[in-house]
């Protein structure tokens, strides 16, 4: 029997290589479509607070989404990586409110609100390398940061992973600590919700 951790490592390597092969135009188009899809979600339109990641590198882009949410008056929380891999949260106050952090991340300059601040969000948008189309099981980068975040969130709050079309898979290897999301958004399929 293969080790699940090995399966995840192999799958991550293939997904990251595929992302690296995407053209700038493809990534930019995907970011616009994902932004527009997420902004029209009823949960986003009614949200007082949205927690979302700040995209880097080849990740599905969130910079336009963060800016649009902020401009329409939504309180936006973005993460700051803590030693040990947990995430603290602080407010996003526009593009100038981000600074370089560890591992090439962009982090908020505003005062930290604590790891439990995410509990106050009405919608949470998380990164993923892949999501299972049947269960919502999410494959991250392996640090467990967002599994901790998702474990803190009330079951009634919509959690959405943003991925490229090819990253919505039939199944994703999972371990007991892995947390599923309640929905996934892709450029061509839009939102898929899981029950």
């Amino acid at each position: 029997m293969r080790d699940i951790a090995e399966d995840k490592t192999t799958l991550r390597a293939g997904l990251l290589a595929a992302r690296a092969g995407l053209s700038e135009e493809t990534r930019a188009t995907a970011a616009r479509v994902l932004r527009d899809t997420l902004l029209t979600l009823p949960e986003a339109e009614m949200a007082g607070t949205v927690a979302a990641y700040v995209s880097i590198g080849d990740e599905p882009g969130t910079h336009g989404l963060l800016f649009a949410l902020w401009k329409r008056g939504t309180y936006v929380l973005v993460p700051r990586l803590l030693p040990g891999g947990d995430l603290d949260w602080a407010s996003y106050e526009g593009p100038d409110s981000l600074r370089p952090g560890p591992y090439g991340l962009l982090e908020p300059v505003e005062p930290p609100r604590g790891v439990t601040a995410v509990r106050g969000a009405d919608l949470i948008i998380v990164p993923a390398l892949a999501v299972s189309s049947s269960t919502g099981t999410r494959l991250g980068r392996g640090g467990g940061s967002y599994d901790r975040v998702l474990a803190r969130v009330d079951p009634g709050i919509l959690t959405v992973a943003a991925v490229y079309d090819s990253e919505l898979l039939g199944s994703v290897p999972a371990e007991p600590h892995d947390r599923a999301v309640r929905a996934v958004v892709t450029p061509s399929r839009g939102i898929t919700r899981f029950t």
Side-chain angles (χ1 to χ4, degrees):
M1 183 167 79
R2 286 185 53 103
D3 181 69
I4 293 175
E6 288 177 21
D7 291 344
K8 286 179 165 183
T9 299
T10 302
L11 182 55
R12 280 187 190 104
L15 292 164
L16 289 168
R19 277 188 178 180
L22 294 174
S23 70
E24 185 62 39
E25 180 182 347
T26 298
R27 288 195 301 271
T29 299
R32 283 192 302 276
V33 172
L34 292 172
R35 175 199 65 204
D36 294 346
T37 302
L38 287 165
L39 286 173
T40 59
L41 269 177
E43 290 88 349
E45 291 178 340
M46 297 183 301
T49 302
V50 173
Y53 69 100
V54 181
S55 60
I56 60 166
D58 300 329
E59 289 182 324
T62 60
H63 292 265
L65 172 67
L66 296 172
F67 186 76
L69 288 166
W70 175 68
K71 286 300 278 185
R72 76 179 184 190
T74 304
Y75 183 63
V76 180
L77 289 171
V78 292
R80 176 181 294 144
L81 185 64
L82 296 172
D86 210 342
L87 297 176
D88 199 343
W89 298 86
S91 64
Y92 171 86
E93 301 295 335
D96 294 336
S97 70
L98 301 173
R99 67 170 181 232
Y103 307 106
L105 299 172
L106 290 173
E107 297 186 331
V109 298
E110 297 297 313
R113 305 275 315 232
V115 297
T116 59
V118 71
R119 289 183 183 155
D122 303 301
L123 170 65
I124 301 169
I125 302 161
V126 300
L129 289 175
V131 174
S132 164
S133 62
S134 58
T135 64
T137 301
R138 173 189 160 276
L139 178 70
R141 291 189 180 254
S145 298
Y146 280 93
D147 289 317
R148 292 178 188 136
V149 169
L150 294 170
R152 291 185 180 108
V153 178
D154 183 275
I157 301 301
L158 182 63
T159 55
V160 182
V163 295
Y164 296 107
D165 294 321
S166 62
E167 297 168 348
L168 185 57
L169 307 177
S171 65
V172 171
E175 296 172 276
H177 67 269
D178 291 322
R179 299 290 176 152
V181 290
R182 295 179 183 95
V184 62
V185 60
T186 65
S188 70
R189 293 184 186 107
I191 297 287
T192 302
R193 294 178 189 252
F194 306 105
T195 54

